[in-house]
Structure formats: structure tokens, C-alpha cells
Amino acid sequence: MSKIKNIIWPQVILFGDSITQFSFQSNGWGSAIADKLARKSDVINRGLSGYNTRWAKIVLPRIIPDQHSAETHIAAVTIFFGANDCALEDKNPQQHVPIQEFTENLKDIVRHLTSSGLSTDKVILITPPPLHEPSWEKECALKGSALNRLNSVTGQYAQACVQAAGQCGVDVLDLWTLMQKDGQDYTAYLSDGLHLSDKGNQFVANHLWNLLERRVADLPFILPYWGDVDPKNPESSLLC
Amino acid sequence: MSKIKNIIWPQVILFGDSITQFSFQSNGWGSAIADKLARKSDVINRGLSGYNTRWAKIVLPRIIPDQHSAETHIAAVTIFFGANDCALEDKNPQQHVPIQEFTENLKDIVRHLTSSGLSTDKVILITPPPLHEPSWEKECALKGSALNRLNSVTGQYAQACVQAAGQCGVDVLDLWTLMQKDGQDYTAYLSDGLHLSDKGNQFVANHLWNLLERRVADLPFILPYWGDVDPKNPESSLLC
């Protein structure tokens, strides 16, 4: 038995807030990526609803420990925060993180990953999507609070995320800009003004795949295609 | 840094053929389970399209090694084969597995898992769904072959799976019977006569969840709910 070689399934780790935690919902962007990577890589949901980068930075070493350095099975990590950090300080002090700290936190998160042995080309930052104030205001009202985020402020955090990515030398998916490009109706990408609709999930999946594709291009198809298994001597195909 | 306690995310492992490999497609049963288990357990796709139990039995020790015994992070394993084993010997000798061997293979697979330290109540066998011959015949014709499976034969393999589960003392989800119960139009559960449609995926997700729910009931919600994080001293909430 000791001769049998274990199969290491690489991992694509999705680290983020609720937009990541909910990414395996029906038609979610996480499951779309997982489907594309079946037999090549696991897609691991490390979404933490409601979390900001201050908290993300604290828990990251518990999720991806330093000692991971020796292992090379992480194919990519997405870092997708900002939708909570950008909450208005006066309306939502618990989740709000000042923009300068947000930038530093993102850089610290990338630094933790690279100091764990991950190369910068395996890290992708994702900015928050735009916020539709009238819809989100309704959600806030349901919880008895006033509108606690603004699209213009979300845009500043998105820009800070793009800058952090540039300073770290990692790729970035600027959803805030892309979803509003050329005067598109970006509200169709949102379900409640902040989280993603089916169309928004598909948008994220497609754009993220454009960035992920080259990172996973060299991953082998794990275990042989069934038609290539020698039916007379399957061990020869399956145990090598 | 060495004081930081790593978080072990439990795993629900889906081991099976193409119906498992494709389970993260849009509206797939795998992603539906993954969504329900976000922040509680990872759902790991170990589906191998085209594989039968003879091949599954050979590769399982490479996927879940014996030395896993010491670890207790597997919350459940689904074993979902039979759709290829039941292929007709004369029409599809490469995938066909005789029914007696199919039963023994399933029992060997369960035995490997339990000998690795998994308790029998963490294992769920799933039978193949019914086969719609006219639809599958068209698929076969597209590949230049004759109809290579029959619903009645699939039913015999489903029954063998139920028996194997009984002999091993593990739960079984008998899709073949449930999908045809009370004269339902089971063809709505299938996309091409063999694989699952959206409705079939939902059917599997719902029935499997009924079996999984009690197995995951004790799994803790990982990391605190954001509203419970002490904003003045987040470390006290996040590092314990």
C-alpha cells in the first residue's frame, strides 16, 4: 500500500466577504469556476460574510498558514474585499475601515501569501462591484438603518484596491469600473444593490476566468480519461 | 505566529462518475450542497467521468489515503457509481462490470473508507438514476454506437447498490426507485437520458441533503458571525 502515490489536487482559494461566501449559490461565480476546474483543481470557498480587510488580515494566517510555504499546491488565490470596508464611518462604524488602512491591509494580505511561498502571479485582487444606492437603501431600511454605503465611496475603495495591486505587482479585476463601463446598466449585475445577481455572477465568473485561465493552463487533467484506461490492465493506467 | 491555531475546514467528499464530476455545473447538486455548507465544510469533487467501480476501487487509496485514519476532518463521503458499471457487456465491454463484482467493489470501497478510520455513518451510497432509453439511444447514435444501457439493467445495479449498503451498514439514496416512484415522469430529471437535468440536480440535492443534514448538524459555523466581532478588539474574537 505504501507504494501508492497520493494525488495532490491543487487548490484555487477564494478569500473574501459575503460576495465570496455566497459564490456557490445557484449560478454562483464560485461554482462556475469550480465546474471549469473539475479534474484539475479544487475551488475552496473562504468567504466570510460581513468581514472587512482588518478582520481578514487577522484570520488569514489561520486559513493559509505560514508553513504552507513548502507546499506548492495552491494554483491561485482571489482576494475580494472592500464592500464592507467602504461602509460609511458614521452610519456603520463596526464594518468601516479607513481607506488608507484598507490599502495597507490588502498589501499585508498579499505579503502574507507571498511570504508563505506563493508567487505574486498566483494572487488576484478583486475590487467591490458598484453599489446601487436606492436598492441598498431598501435593504438597510428593512434592518432599521439608514443607507450605509455610497457608490462613489465604493469607487474610491475600488481605486485603492487597484493601486494596492499595482504596488504589490499582482493582477486585479476592477469590477467597479468594468460593470459601469460605457454607461452599462450595472444594476442588472446586482440582486439587492450590493450582492450579485445571476447576471453579475456570470460577469464575475467570465472576467475572473480570463485571469485564471493562464494560471491553470499547465495543471494536468487528474487521472486518465476513461477511454484511455486499459480495460485489460486498469492498474497500469490508474496507479502511475 | 506559532501560537495561531489553524482552522481545519471539514470535508464532504463526493466520489463518483460523471454525474458527480458535473455536479458543479449551473444548478448542480454539488454546488447546492456546497452552498448549504458554506462556513461549515468544504465540498470536494472527486467525480471521475466514465469510471466504473473497478477503476474507482483502484484509485480510491490515491484519493483518500489510509493514513487519513488519524484525521477526523471528513464529515461525509458519497459514493455514486453504477451508471457505467451497468453498461451492457456486448455493447460496451470497456465500462461494463458484472453485477456481482459491482456489489463487491462497492463493499470494498466502503471497507477502504472505514479501515481508514471513517465511521460507517459518514458514508452514503447513491444508486444510479433511471435511464431513459430513447434519449440515451440518440446520444449513443451521435457517437456512432448502438444503445449501450437499459433502464431495467440499471435498476438491477441500483438494487445491488441498496443491498451492498445494507450489508455494510451505511445509508443509501436510491435514486433509481425514488425518481420512478408513483409513476412520476422521471425523464424530466434527465438531460440526455443518463445525466441529470436542472430538475434532476435539484432532486438529488434535496434528497441528499435529507441524509447529510444530521451528519453536519454538529459542525460549528467557522469563525464568528461578523456582528459578533468586537470592533474594538477584533483579535479577541478572531484568534480564539
Side-chain angles (χ1 to χ4, degrees), chain A residues 19 79-83 102 125-130 154 157-162 172-178:
Chain A
I19 305 176
I79 302 169
F80 190 173
F81 287 95
F102 171 68
L125 287 185
I126 306 178
T127 78
T154 306
Y157 281 71
Q159 213 182 338
C161 176
V162 171
V172 63
L173 174 54
D174 182 0
L175 290 182
W176 193 86
T177 301
L178 284 172

Side-chain angles (χ1 to χ4, degrees), chain A residues 226, chain B residues 83-97 136 147-149:
Chain A
W226 73 266
Chain B
N84 299 313
D85 298 66
C86 74
L88 303 172
E89 186 172 11
D90 58 331
K91 298 289 192 309
N92 184 347
Q94 194 174 357
Q95 290 178 293
H96 169 79
V97 169
W136 188 243
L147 178 66
N148 58 16
R149 286 161 175 82

Side-chain angles (χ1 to χ4, degrees), chain B residues 126-190:
Chain B
I126 306 177
T127 78
L131 184 99
H132 185 239
E133 292 162 13
S135 306
W136 188 243
E137 190 166 22
K138 279 183 200 160
E139 291 295 314
C140 293
L142 287 174
K143 290 173 190 157
S145 66
L147 178 66
N148 58 16
R149 286 161 175 82
L150 296 172
N151 191 38
S152 60
V153 177
T154 306
Q156 292 164 16
Y157 280 71
Q159 213 182 339
C161 175
V162 172
Q163 285 168 354
Q167 288 165 8
C168 294
V170 303
D171 258 350
V172 64
L173 174 53
D174 182 359
L175 289 182
W176 192 86
T177 300
L178 284 172
M179 284 183 169
Q180 295 182 94
K181 210 174 158 184
D182 304 326
Q184 287 170 86
D185 174 22
Y186 72 88
T187 63
Y189 297 129
L190 304 170

